[in-house]
Amino acid sequence: MSEQGFSTRAIHAGYEPDPQTGAVNVPIYASSTFAQDGVGGMRNGFEYARTGNPTRRPLEANLAAIEGGAFGRAFSSGMAATDCLLRSVLRPGDHLIIPNDAYGGTFRLIDKVFTEWGIEHTPAPMGDVDAVRAAIRPNTKLVWVETPTNPLLNIGDIEALSAVAHDAGAKIVVDNTFASPYLQQPLALGADVALHSTTKYLGGHSDVVGGALVTDDEELDTKFAFLQNGAGAVPGPFDAYLTMRGIKTLALRMERHSDNAEKIVDLLSGHAAVERVIYPGLASHPGHAVASRQMRRFGGMVSVRLKGGKQAALDFCSRTTIFTLAESLGGVESLIEHPGAMTHASTAGSELEVPEDLVRLSVGIEDAADLLADVEQALG
């Protein structure tokens, strides 16, 4: 039988109806420990919930299936997944390359924590393969890619960047949070690891925090499993249940997110208050050709630079009524934020500092006409 389609995997992978009760949805196993069949005799591989939980295990299998990978690991947050990946791959004296417009939380962890442990990093534009190649050093062990990037929505060519990393003997991880597995499959394009903040599009309802690592590399997965258990940054069973619940509708939601985002982009592109609209779906976007090749559609994230500078950006953020002023993204509701003062404040004064006139929109799945009217009135 041919491989099942994405939505079928998203709904069914990792779990069969419970053989005792017939429960169609995975039960929430709210147990911290599990009875053993004699000393060391784990029942179905479960002993203690930090090590493994019967609600988390189906989620991890599901994550692997929708990313097209062999192994999936779930974490208590996207940053916990990031920390596990970095500690699994890097050692003191190693070097990694990061996007020159990376997510502020990723940059903060690397710059403020891992630098103190003797890890070196170099920012590079992920849209420029030659620049990434030039940033490689003899001690480079990891190339960290976001595509689209957060918040400037730059595009990296995953296949080309994977070749550069592997030629240098380095691993490559792709933060696939903005695209989601529905729109983009990094492992199929050569990446070693796909990383997610499952808080965002995978959970999809702004009601659960989580992270994930998916890989085909068994040796890497063994390291992830050790740290997942040893450091203990695991999701609880209710978090795992909510994330799995969200994944079931991922394909439908991503189509609606993309539909609505395209309509918002059309409005912004012709507005007198707008300096520049940043969206990979625009033919004018420098990464449009690559995004068209490696993404199914262009997603629900839109960034815009406003005429009038920072104050115009702040005014826009303060005037919306349906777009909620809040951090995070990828939920069913539309959100608006000022990255320079919010999610990316940690990049201030660095090479990764974001423009002060930039506003980031996470376009939700509300009625498009209502979203358009809200943006129109907020711009004035």
Side-chain angles (χ1 to χ4, degrees), residues 205-217:
H205 293 75
S206 300
D207 56 6
V208 61
V209 174
L213 296 172
V214 179
T215 186
D216 284 326
D217 187 324

Side-chain angles (χ1 to χ4, degrees), residues 19 29 105 109 274 287:
Y29 289 92
L109 180 64
V274 171

Side-chain angles (χ1 to χ4, degrees), residues 13 36 66 79 92 122 196 215 218 234 236 239 253 299 313-314 329:
Q36 298 188 26
I66 62 174
M79 291 313 303
T122 300
H196 287 274
T215 186
E218 187 172 8
V234 296
D239 295 337
R253 289 185 287 106
L314 296 176
L329 58 103

Side-chain angles (χ1 to χ4, degrees), residues 255-332:
E255 289 289 346
R256 181 62 173 259
H257 284 299
S258 297
D259 286 344
N260 283 354
E262 288 171 5
K263 293 180 175 68
I264 293 293
V265 167
D266 286 344
L267 170 64
L268 292 171
S269 295
H271 202 285
V274 171
E275 183 68 36
R276 182 188 172 203
V277 182
I278 306 171
Y279 187 66
L282 288 170
S284 59
H285 189 290
H288 176 70
V290 172
S292 298
R293 186 171 68 246
Q294 68 187 19
M295 298 178 73
R296 188 194 301 255
R297 292 189 69 183
F298 303 105
M301 299 304 299
V302 179
S303 288
V304 58
R305 299 185 67 173
L306 298 176
K307 295 176 182 176
K310 181 178 181 180
Q311 190 57 52
L314 296 176
D315 288 344
F316 182 30
C317 290
S318 69
R319 290 172 180 160
T320 56
T321 58
I322 297 176
F323 280 84
T324 301
L325 179 63
E327 297 187 358
S328 199
L329 58 103
V332 293

Side-chain angles (χ1 to χ4, degrees), residues 33-291:
T33 193
F34 302 90
Q36 298 188 26
D37 298 325
V39 176
M42 292 186 291
R43 193 175 302 177
N44 296 319
F46 298 107
E47 56 177 356
Y48 186 62
R50 171 168 42 79
T51 308
N53 177 279
T55 310
R56 191 174 90 219
R57 179 185 283 176
L59 169 62
E60 293 180 325
N62 186 274
L63 289 165
I66 62 174
E67 272 289 9
F71 309 100
R73 298 287 168 184
F75 296 84
S76 57
S77 69
M79 291 313 303
T82 297
D83 182 65
C84 178
L85 183 280
L86 292 170
R87 286 192 286 155
S88 296
V89 175
L90 301 173
R91 293 294 178 268
D94 287 346
H95 171 257
L96 77 153
I97 298 170
I98 63 172
N100 66 347
D101 57 341
Y103 166 55
T106 303
F107 172 71
R108 180 177 59 231
L109 180 64
I110 292 169
D111 187 60
K112 305 302 182 191
V113 177
F114 280 84
T115 296
E116 292 190 351
W117 293 352
I119 305 296
E120 301 173 322
H121 65 276
T122 300
M126 289 297 142
D128 186 340
V129 176
D130 290 334
V132 173
R133 184 182 291 108
I136 295 278
R137 301 178 186 175
N139 60 335
T140 300
K141 295 296 189 292
L142 182 66
V143 176
W144 187 283
V145 178
E146 292 176 19
T147 181
T149 58
N150 180 8
L152 294 177
L153 302 178
N154 285 313
I155 299 296
D157 185 329
I158 297 172
E159 191 169 18
L161 292 170
S162 296
V164 168
H166 294 153
D167 285 347
K171 300 291 187 184
I172 179 169
V173 57
V174 175
D175 184 338
N176 203 28
T177 299
F178 266 34
S180 86
Y182 177 69
L183 297 183
Q184 184 170 266
Q185 301 268 297
L187 299 183
L189 296 170
D192 297 295
V193 183
L195 177 144
H196 287 274
S197 169
T198 58
T199 310
K200 313 306 193 293
Y201 285 110
L202 292 176
H205 293 75
S206 300
D207 56 6
V208 61
V209 174
L213 296 172
V214 179
T215 186
D216 284 326
D217 187 324
E218 187 172 8
E219 182 179 355
L220 263 183
D221 180 66
T222 299
K223 293 179 179 180
F224 297 161
F226 176 81
L227 274 177
Q228 181 192 45
N229 179 53
V234 296
F238 188 56
D239 295 337
Y241 165 82
L242 285 175
T243 304
M244 241 184 135
R245 183 278 318 264
I247 290 172
K248 292 176 188 292
T249 60
L250 179 62
L252 290 172
R253 289 185 287 106
M254 293 311 298
E255 289 289 346
R256 181 62 173 259
H257 284 299
S258 297
D259 286 344
N260 283 354
E262 288 171 5
K263 293 180 175 68
I264 293 293
V265 167
D266 286 344
L267 170 64
L268 292 171
S269 295
H271 202 285
V274 171
E275 183 68 36
R276 182 188 172 203
V277 182
I278 306 171
Y279 187 66
L282 288 170
S284 59
H285 189 290
H288 176 70
V290 172

